[in-house]
Amino acid sequence: EVAIDVYLPAGYEKTSDRLPVAYIHSGRMARDELRIPTTLDNLISRRVEPLIAVFINRDPPFFGFDAYAKMCAEELPAFIDERYRTVRSPAGRAHIAWSFSAHAALHTALAHATAGKLGIQSPFIIQLEPLDPIMKDASERPLTVYFDWGKYDVRSPLEFWSASKAGRKLDQYFRDRGYRPAGGEAHDGAGVASWQNRTDDLFEALFPVRP
């Protein structure tokens, strides 16, 4: 069993519109530390279209994503679609995550064709080869992608890994397959204080206000 919190935009009960859904991994951190509900309150109808946000209050596993990904990609959307007025297509669903949870969100979006949007910040993904079996070209598997990382993001020279180098490699990995991710490298550091500087760009890239 996984606990969730559901964010509904102001005025939800006054319309009959179906809304897109953002499935947010590491939900407690996103809700309490990143303060995503406040971000959405400030952005919706100005820079971001009205949306529902589902905060998944369980940190995903660092390895072995299959069961977790199936829950996030199939079981949870079915549960939400049954209870709320949602856009029930990949174009209306996004997976959003940060740092260690980004790998699970990426695996969920690539392994299952139920969401058409992906937003990640400071993805902690050192080895890209495990993604090869589930990665498609943009022509086969359309995805709207946003991800960013800090130039001075977390790193460990003694262990030979760097989140900023990993971000550049992942960006090229997507571009080599025809994707054009928004975001990129920011002249910034790591962690919540850094991500908060750009969560507005993330949501605007995935859910822009429609004309």
Side-chain angles (χ1 to χ4, degrees):
E1 295 183 355
V2 177
I4 61 171
D5 289 306
V6 178
Y7 168 95
L8 299 175
Y12 171 83
E13 70 283 352
K14 297 178 182 179
T15 76
S16 58
D17 296 342
R18 292 191 175 275
L19 303 183
V21 184
Y23 291 93
I24 299 179
H25 303 251
S26 293
R28 291 188 184 93
M29 183 277 294
R31 186 192 63 236
D32 298 338
E33 297 178 50
L34 272 172
R35 301 183 67 184
I36 294 300
T38 301
T39 297
L40 293 175
D41 285 344
N42 292 330
L43 292 176
I44 285 176
S45 297
R46 297 175 184 174
R47 294 171 56 186
V48 171
E49 66 176 325
L51 62 90
I52 297 168
V54 177
F55 295 88
I56 305 168
N57 296 324
R58 175 179 289 183
D59 291 333
F62 196 62
F63 299 102
F65 306 112
D66 290 347
Y68 178 85
K70 181 180 179 182
M71 183 273 290
C72 293
E74 300 177 11
E75 298 166 9
L76 183 54
F79 179 87
I80 295 297
D81 287 348
E82 187 177 318
R83 288 160 176 79
Y84 299 94
R85 287 184 278 101
T86 61
V87 177
R88 301 182 181 188
S89 69
R93 300 189 188 109
H95 290 286
I96 298 173
W98 296 264
S99 189
F100 292 101
S101 63
H103 202 163
L106 180 59
H107 188 95
T108 301
L110 295 181
H112 299 266
T114 57
K117 304 173 190 285
L118 172 69
I120 51 180
Q121 292 186 282
S122 295
F124 195 87
I125 301 171
I126 307 304
Q127 299 294 328
L128 298 178
E129 290 78 7
L131 296 176
D132 288 343
I134 57 175
M135 184 65 167
K136 308 291 184 183
D137 289 340
S139 58
E140 298 177 75
R141 177 77 168 84
L143 273 175
T144 300
V145 180
Y146 175 98
F147 73 88
D148 66 41
W149 62 94
K151 182 177 181 180
Y152 307 104
D153 221 311
V154 292
R155 66 195 66 199
S156 176
L158 293 178
E159 296 176 322
F160 303 103
W161 61 261
S162 162
S164 56
K165 290 182 180 179
R168 295 180 201 120
K169 288 174 64 177
L170 183 61
D171 181 76
Q172 192 60 52
Y173 185 79
F174 271 91
R175 293 183 185 278
D176 288 345
R177 289 154 181 80
Y179 296 95
R180 293 295 176 264
E185 185 168 284
H187 196 75
D188 210 333
V192 169
S194 171
W195 302 329
Q196 284 178 323
N197 292 330
R198 301 180 299 280
T199 49
D200 55 344
D201 296 331
L202 184 155
F203 280 99
E204 185 176 20
L206 300 183
F207 300 101
V209 170
R210 290 171 289 183

